[in-house]
Amino acid sequence: MIKTMFSLPVDVYRNRQLIMKLAKNDFKTRYAGSYLGTIWAFIQPIVTILVYWFVFSVGFRSDTGELGIPFVLYLVAGIVPWFFFQDALVGGTNSLLEYNYLVKKVVFNISVLPVVKIISALFVHCFFVMFTIILYMAYGKLPDWYYLQIIYYSFCTFALVLGMCYVTCSVVVFFRDLTQIINIGLQVGVWLTPIMWIAETSLKEHATIQKILQLNPVYYIVSGYRDSFIMKHWFFERPMWTVYFWAVTILCFVFGNWVFKRLRIHFADVL
C-alpha cells in the first residue's frame, strides 16, 4: 500500500523539470493558430462570470443576506476554484488521448501527463486568483493574512484532481464515453457544490441535505476559498472536515495509483 501510494509522486518529482517544460508548452499551444492565442484561456471564464453576475445580481437579484457583501464577490470566490477543478479534471482525463504519441514511446514516463495538464490549468487559476483579489480591492476588501490559505486550498484542489485524473485518464482510453459522463457530472456539480447559491442560507432548515452536500470534497475547497475571502476562518478551525477531505483525497490517490499501474501496460495497444 505504501509503495503504491508513493510510486507516482516519486515519478513526478524525478521528472519535475520535464513536467514544467511540457506544462508551459501545453499552455502556449492550447490555442495555437488563433489570433488572440492564450488570451482565450482567460476570456471565456471572465465572460462566464459576467453572465452569472448579470443573471443573479441584476436579473434574479440574489441576496447574500447576513454576509452583507455584493453577490458577485460571493460568486467569484466560489467559481474561481471550480474553474480550476473543472479545467484540470477535463484536461487530465484526456491527457493520454491528447499525448497518445508519447504514450506509444517505451522510454517515456506517461505518469507525468495528467500532472502536465493540471499544472497548465494552474497557470490560468493563478491569474484568476489575482483577478479575484483585485475585484475585492475594488469593493474595499483589502488583502489580509487569510488570503494565504488560497495556497493551501489550491494544493487541495491539485491533490484531489490528480488522484481523480489517474483513474479517469486510465479508464477513458478504453471507454471514451467517460468524457461525456464527466461533462454532465460537472454541469450538475456546479449546482450541487454549490457555486450559484448560498447553502448556509437556503438550507438552514435542511441540515441533513447540507451535510450530504458537504460529502463532496470540492465543497470543502469552495468553502475554503470563501472562508479566506469572506468568512475569515482558518482551515484548522474545521478539523473534522479537513480530516475527512484528506482521507477522501488520499484514498482517491491510492486508488488512482492502483488503476493506473494495472492498466498502463495496455495503453499503447489501445491507442
Side-chain angles (χ1 to χ4, degrees), residues 1 5 13 38 57 64 69 82 86 88 100 226 228 253:
M1 177 68 74
M5 181 176 174
Y13 178 76
T38 56
S57 293
T64 56
I69 62 170
W82 178 261
Q86 176 179 264
N100 61 80
R226 286 171 171 158
S228 303
F253 193 81

Side-chain angles (χ1 to χ4, degrees), residues 51-68:
V51 170
Y52 284 148
W53 168 79
F54 179 81
V55 170
F56 290 100
S57 293
V58 180
F60 292 139
R61 295 186 179 277
S62 298
D63 184 16
T64 56
E66 298 176 358
L67 298 179

Side-chain angles (χ1 to χ4, degrees), residues 107-120:
V107 296
F108 188 82
N109 191 343
I110 61 175
S111 63
V112 306
L113 293 178
V115 185
V116 168
K117 300 298 291 187
I118 296 173
I119 292 179
S120 178

Side-chain angles (χ1 to χ4, degrees), residues 49 72-73 76 130-141:
I49 290 173
V72 65
L73 297 185
V76 170
M130 294 303 301
F131 170 82
T132 304
I133 293 174
I134 293 173
L135 180 63
Y136 270 70
M137 291 175 64
Y139 277 90
K141 310 289 185 180

Side-chain angles (χ1 to χ4, degrees), residues 9-46:
V10 169
D11 288 343
V12 170
Y13 178 76
R14 288 175 178 172
N15 295 276
R16 59 191 182 278
Q17 293 182 342
L18 173 63
I19 290 173
M20 290 304 300
K21 183 177 180 180
L22 288 174
K24 292 177 182 178
N25 184 67
D26 180 89
F27 179 71
K28 292 178 181 177
T29 59
R30 190 185 308 184
Y31 301 94
S34 61
Y35 285 108
L36 296 180
T38 56
I39 294 177
W40 284 113
F42 309 108
I43 291 178
Q44 183 177 353
I46 288 178

Side-chain angles (χ1 to χ4, degrees), residues 222-259:
V222 170
S223 296
Y225 273 71
R226 286 171 171 158
D227 282 345
S228 303
F229 283 113
I230 303 171
M231 310 298 185
K232 305 307 178 184
H233 293 153
W234 294 105
F235 71 91
F236 49 77
E237 293 181 42
R238 307 178 188 270
M240 296 306 297
W241 201 6
T242 299
V243 170
Y244 167 77
F245 170 83
W246 282 109
V248 171
T249 299
I250 292 172
L251 287 174
C252 184
F253 193 81
V254 171
F255 180 66
N257 268 287
W258 180 78
V259 172

